[in-house]
Amino acid sequence: MAEKNDGCPCGNPTRFPFSIFFKDARSALKMDELGVEIAKIALPAALALTADPIASLVDTAFIGQIGATELAAVGVSIAVFNQVSRIAIFPLVSITTSFVAEEDTIMNSSHQMQGPTTNSENKKLLELHNIKSESLDEESIVTSYEKKRIPSASSAIIIGVVLGFLQAVFLINASKPILSIMGIKSDSPMLYPAQQYLKLRSLGAPAVLLSLAMQGVFRGFKDTKTPLYATVTGDVTNIILDPIFIFVFGLGVSGAAIAHVISQYLISVILFWRLIEKIDIVPPNSKHLQFGRFLKNGFLLLMRVTAVTFCVTLAASMAARQGSTTMAAFQVCLQVWLATSLLADGLAVAGQAIIASAFAKMDYEKVTATASRVLQLGVVLGVVLSILLGFGLHFGARLFTKEAGVLHLISIGIPFVAGTQPINALAFVFDGVNFGASDFAYAAYSMVLVAIISIISLFVASSHGFIGLWVALTLYMSMRALAGFWRIGTGTGPWCFLKGIT
């Protein structure tokens, strides 16, 4: 009797899947065809992804000149805003990138067949990849001379706008109780500046979520240059407006929030203008929208991103409870930690887009080669970042604050911020690789398990103060990387084909 295959495209296991991590390792930095393709996607994506944290770092640097209380207050508000934003938009961006890459690849392939393809032929291609054929008739998949109609892109934009308005209403009306949960009580001197900053920055939530949804669409087209141009334009505007609003107009933390909001709306306008030149974002009717697909996979990633961001937000809350000095130091270390780690997310974006396209074409050799290359590059990037931060942060800490107590705690955090970079890089790249394989269920359930362990470790380690928080965060990132290694290394789920590669 034949052994059950469980949907694996390459039959029964015959090889060691973990060998993918060492495949052609000597060529990791080689600029061959694959290396160039990865670089063209990853470099602009990495710069775009780090632009917003860098803008937050600039906010942090300017606000740090006002005082430690304001610095700590804004740190809590940024943590809250980022937590809610990631919960709302991260699942949408990740799903959109994979769906758009998949649909665009299949549609391009259908048009390259001999002669015009029939509607039924196109439907077979789409059904092969679990795309509902009834929502993609000939009218929706045929591209015109100027524009494409990609149903998942239209769906993502609508969902992004709705989520943005809901986030704004939620944060503006619930700012005080949320900050209280984060450890800022009604008698705390941090409450007023934190509430000011959070309410004003929440006005930009619709623009933030819409622009991120559109970035997911562009990534699916393997176009990361357009989001980079838009993001850099917006964030340079933010950097220019910061000192004007904070110091010249004397608005303090409110000025920093207003500058950030203006920059986010500028980014969304630029992206929308470029996107309507590329695709027809208005579907013929509602049946072409794929809300069912988004909701099914979005719920899984919602579980995941809630678990991911809750750990970091919980750590920030525990730092806030230890006082403004600890929170100020934690904010500086955390912003640097996240800003540099997000460089690896550029590799994750490249891996996701290329792997999703390769899976759509069932080109498993390309899948394997891409996964190997981006993971190896992730290790290299992590080591480089570790060295740079190990030396640079000792001298750069004074850019954020002059207070001796805060600087002392930052010096304690430097070994963790710098030393975890290779682990962080692998964790981010593993995310992109598995998202490219549409392995959303494993990504969700494994992250929930990691979060449970991390939350317990945070409560235990927090009794050891500032250093305990960073020990727990190091464990958290290590387990994230291990979960990604385990899935691919064991050749399970969509990676079962690795056991049959010859």
Side-chain angles (χ1 to χ4, degrees):
M1 182 181 293
E3 189 173 340
K4 187 178 179 181
N5 192 15
D6 291 329
C8 179
C10 297
N12 298 325
T14 58
R15 297 291 296 274
F16 300 103
F18 63 80
S19 64
I20 187 177
F21 303 116
F22 311 101
K23 178 180 172 63
D24 299 324
R26 293 181 179 179
S27 302
L29 299 176
K30 186 178 180 181
M31 291 302 290
D32 53 11
E33 183 179 350
L34 178 59
V36 170
E37 185 178 10
I38 291 173
K40 285 183 176 179
I41 300 173
L43 291 177
L47 293 173
L49 286 164
T50 55
D52 190 59
I54 288 172
S56 292
L57 277 175
V58 172
D59 282 351
T60 302
F62 281 124
I63 294 167
Q65 307 307 312
I66 302 175
T69 299
E70 287 79 7
L71 178 61
V74 170
V76 176
S77 296
I78 290 175
V80 170
F81 186 87
N82 289 344
Q83 160 80 350
V84 178
S85 294
R86 285 181 64 83
I87 288 176
I89 201 63
F90 181 81
L92 178 60
V93 174
S94 299
I95 292 170
T96 300
T97 299
S98 292
F99 286 1
V100 171
E102 181 182 89
E103 289 177 20
D104 191 44
T105 298
I106 296 170
M107 292 175 187
N108 288 339
S109 297
S110 71
H111 288 297
Q112 291 170 2
M113 293 179 181
Q114 281 189 339
T117 58
T118 65
N119 194 32
S120 61
E121 287 173 326
N122 283 320
K123 287 184 179 181
K124 288 177 181 178
L125 279 169
L126 298 166
E127 287 170 346
L128 184 62
H129 297 277
N130 298 317
I131 300 175
K132 287 186 177 181
S133 59
E134 64 269 19
S135 69
L136 289 159
D137 58 20
E138 187 173 9
E139 182 184 11
S140 68
I141 66 175
V142 172
T143 56
S144 68
Y145 290 108
E146 297 180 355
K147 296 183 180 181
K148 296 180 179 181
R149 180 172 289 141
I150 306 292
S152 56
S154 302
S155 304
I157 291 171
I158 294 172
I159 295 172
V161 171
V162 173
L163 289 177
F165 279 107
L166 291 176
Q167 178 181 333
V169 171
F170 171 70
L171 287 178
I172 290 172
N173 288 283
S175 60
K176 188 172 182 178
I178 291 174
L179 291 170
S180 177
I181 293 172
M182 289 293 292
I184 300 181
K185 301 304 180 184
S186 57
D187 58 346
S188 171
M190 291 189 288
L191 178 60
Y192 180 71
Q195 199 169 358
Q196 259 190 323
Y197 187 89
L198 182 57
K199 283 187 174 182
L200 286 171
R201 187 158 174 179
S202 297
L203 295 174
V208 172
L209 271 66
L210 174 59
S211 65
L212 288 173
M214 290 188 288
Q215 285 186 45
V217 176
F218 280 108
R219 291 176 191 174
F221 290 131
K222 300 181 184 178
D223 175 8
T224 52
K225 289 183 180 179
T226 300
L228 171 61
Y229 297 148
T231 303
V232 169
T233 300
D235 286 337
V236 167
T237 302
N238 181 31
I239 292 170
I240 293 171
L241 293 178
D242 258 340
I244 296 174
F245 287 157
I246 294 173
F247 303 115
V248 177
F249 293 164
L251 296 176
V253 296
S254 296
I258 293 169
H260 205 93
V261 169
I262 292 173
S263 72
Q264 292 301 320
Y265 275 98
L266 178 59
I267 292 170
S268 64
V269 168
I270 295 171
L271 286 174
F272 188 78
W273 170 57
R274 294 305 301 271
L275 191 60
I276 60 176
E277 292 181 338
K278 192 178 187 73
I279 67 171
D280 184 357
I281 64 171
V282 180
N285 53 61
S286 60
K287 76 173 184 178
H288 294 91
L289 298 174
Q290 300 183 50
F291 293 135
R293 266 186 106 203
F294 276 86
L295 289 174
K296 176 184 176 182
N297 293 285
F299 177 75
L300 291 170
L301 285 189
L302 179 62
M303 290 171 50
R304 185 183 190 283
V305 74
T306 302
V308 167
T309 55
F310 184 78
C311 292
V312 176
T313 305
L314 178 62
S317 174
M318 289 180 170
R321 294 173 191 276
Q322 294 176 19
S324 60
T325 300
T326 300
M327 183 59 211
F330 183 83
Q331 164 67 2
V332 172
C333 289
L334 183 66
Q335 288 300 319
V336 173
W337 192 59
L338 293 177
T340 53
S341 298
L342 283 173
L343 288 169
D345 227 0
L347 287 172
V349 170
Q352 180 180 3
I354 297 172
I355 288 172
S357 293
F359 263 113
K361 293 185 288 189
M362 297 187 180
D363 185 352
Y364 299 112
E365 288 292 342
K366 180 84 174 275
V367 171
T368 304
T370 303
S372 300
R373 186 72 64 89
V374 293
L375 288 167
Q376 292 159 8
L377 288 172
V379 174
V380 173
L381 176 62
V383 171
V384 172
L385 288 173
S386 183
I387 295 170
L388 292 175
L389 286 178
F391 291 101
L393 196 52
H394 279 288
F395 304 100
R398 291 186 177 276
L399 294 173
F400 301 100
T401 182
K402 299 293 190 297
E403 298 199 14
V406 178
L407 289 171
H408 172 68
L409 287 178
I410 290 175
S411 68
I412 294 174
I414 289 174
F416 295 98
V417 174
T420 55
Q421 291 303 315
I423 299 171
N424 294 359
L426 273 178
F428 278 112
V429 176
F430 270 123
D431 288 347
V433 169
N434 281 315
F435 291 161
S438 294
D439 198 8
F440 300 123
Y442 176 80
Y445 298 134
S446 63
M447 192 61 237
V448 170
L449 178 60
V450 167
I452 291 172
I453 299 172
S454 299
I455 290 167
I456 294 172
S457 70
L458 273 169
F459 280 110
V460 173
S462 63
S463 61
H464 298 282
F466 184 79
I467 194 170
L469 296 177
W470 282 102
V471 169
L473 287 176
T474 299
L475 175 63
Y476 156 69
M477 292 304 298
S478 298
M479 289 189 294
R480 279 185 64 177
L482 179 61
F485 179 89
W486 179 264
R487 184 60 156 180
I488 300 175
T490 56
T492 52
W495 300 98
C496 62
F497 73 88
L498 289 171
K499 297 177 181 178
I501 287 181
T502 57

